[in-house]
Amino acid sequence: MKRSSALFAACALCATVARATEEVPFITTPDEVTVTMLRMAAVTPRDFVIDLGSGDGRIVITAARRYGARGLGVEIVPDLVEKSRENAKRAGVADRALFREQDLFKTDLTAASVITMYLLPEVNLQLRPALLALRPGTRIVSHDWDMGDWKPDRTETIDVPDKPIGLEKKSRVHLWTVPAKVDGLWCGPKSKRGELAIRQSFQNAAARLGEVEFPLVIAATRLKSTEGKDRIALELADGRLRVIAAAGRLAPWNGARFSRAKGGACPA
Ligand SMILES: C[S@@+](CC[C@H](N)C(=O)[O-])C[C@H]1O[C@@H](n2cnc3c(N)ncnc32)[C@H](O)[C@@H]1O
């Protein structure tokens, strides 16, 4: 690379780093909040945790040290990446807690079973489509900031007397589980001629099966009705929805399998 173009590339990177850190400055998540985030996400040694904007690396390091998980922190400030690697070495988890100097918006998130974030509301919203596209069941925990009308499954508020920002001295931790995408029309067994119509909004849905209408809650690949006597639970596997329990007027559907309608209608 010529000197002038090398300088230009370096300055372009400087500008990206400056803009990113101006938007989301480095503020650490206090230890008790880190533990709450990892506990709410139910992190185990089978998990791969990605912290978006990993600062000094504390979340990924705690996930590895305390919960035996593997993880990756992506951070745009080179000194913080260096510091995170040193911290991981000192904690004895450098083989399981990796750090990469990278823009979080350009990071491949598909390997994650857990995503952690302490960013800003508008950044969370920008990330939302990529998060919703992750494997159903992926858990996402965010310190303080939510994701607009994608309401969390659960929120915990904890006292944090030494919180470095804000007057309230409390932190909120929000948890979401990526729901399977089940919106649309599903066709039941020919013998029963049943149509299952689902209108999905994030982890909630309104459904109709035959004449029966009911609300559903979607947790990963499991769909469950939550109200009334007409109860149903379905599981999505291999692209098909299977009824694993049913009661009331939905009882006859127990064991039925539904496939996605082709061309917007079920066969007559
Ligand atoms: C509020 S701090 C959180 C640090 C750490 N996750 C924690 O909870 O202790 C946000 C971090 O995101 C980093 N950051 C901001 N924009 C980024 C971007 N586009 N890509 C990667 N990191 C970014 C900042 O440099 C900062 O270290």
Side-chain angles (χ1 to χ4, degrees):
M1 204 187 287
K2 276 193 189 154
R3 201 174 125 74
S4 56
S5 49
L7 273 176
F8 178 79
C11 284
L13 184 64
C14 295
T16 308
V17 172
R19 203 176 331 109
T21 51
E22 215 169 88
E23 278 166 14
V24 190
F26 171 51
I27 301 163
T28 55
T29 291
D31 290 344
E32 62 270 44
V33 182
T34 298
V35 170
T36 301
M37 291 169 82
L38 299 171
R39 175 180 53 73
M40 283 177 71
V43 171
T44 74
R46 289 193 305 280
D47 281 309
F48 188 75
V49 178
I50 297 186
D51 187 28
L52 296 175
S54 48
D56 63 5
R58 60 184 57 210
I59 293 181
V60 175
I61 292 170
T62 306
R65 195 166 46 85
R66 193 163 166 156
Y67 297 89
R70 290 177 307 118
L72 170 71
V74 291
E75 171 55 58
I76 206 152
V77 177
D79 289 354
L80 288 172
V81 175
E82 204 44 52
K83 188 160 193 246
S84 302
R85 289 181 181 142
E86 282 163 22
N87 291 343
K89 225 179 268 171
R90 210 169 305 126
V93 293
D95 57 334
R96 279 179 292 132
L98 304 179
F99 295 92
R100 204 178 289 156
E101 184 189 325
Q102 190 168 289
D103 185 344
L104 62 90
F105 287 106
K106 296 185 180 147
T107 300
D108 178 2
L109 306 177
T110 52
S113 54
V114 174
I115 301 270
T116 57
M117 317 189 289
Y118 184 23
L119 299 165
L120 283 175
E122 55 273 27
V123 179
N124 284 9
L125 280 181
Q126 269 176 276
L127 280 167
R128 199 172 84 170
L131 298 174
L132 276 164
L134 291 174
R135 200 175 43 247
T138 306
R139 290 94 76 206
I140 299 159
V141 272
S142 171
H143 179 185
D144 273 346
W145 309 115
D146 65 16
M147 280 200 267
D149 56 352
W150 182 14
K151 299 294 175 209
D153 301 334
R154 199 149 58 84
T155 297
E156 287 190 18
T157 304
I158 50 176
D159 291 324
V160 187
D162 56 349
K163 188 163 178 166
I165 55 160
L167 297 174
E168 204 189 15
K169 304 301 170 201
K170 282 182 192 302
S171 279
R172 282 174 190 78
V173 179
H174 306 288
L175 168 75
W176 297 260
T177 305
V178 174
K181 279 130 208 93
V182 292
D183 191 80
L185 184 65
W186 298 77
C187 309
K190 273 196 188 133
S191 56
K192 287 192 190 261
R193 292 183 178 266
E195 292 188 357
L196 170 63
I198 301 179
R199 234 175 330 109
Q200 181 174 3
S201 171
F202 305 110
Q203 68 273 58
N204 295 298
R208 184 174 38 75
L209 176 52
E211 299 302 308
V212 189
E213 295 191 356
F214 47 91
L216 285 171
V217 170
I218 306 156
T221 52
R222 181 70 57 100
L223 291 67
K224 251 174 109 172
S225 62
T226 51
E227 294 170 13
K229 289 192 201 130
D230 303 317
R231 290 293 179 108
I232 197 162
L234 301 112
E235 177 75 31
L236 179 70
D238 302 324
R240 298 218 291 171
L241 281 170
R242 186 170 67 88
V243 179
I244 51 176
R249 285 180 296 162
L250 295 171
W253 294 99
N254 211 345
R257 288 171 202 269
F258 293 81
S259 307
R260 269 199 187 280
K262 294 193 179 92
C266 294

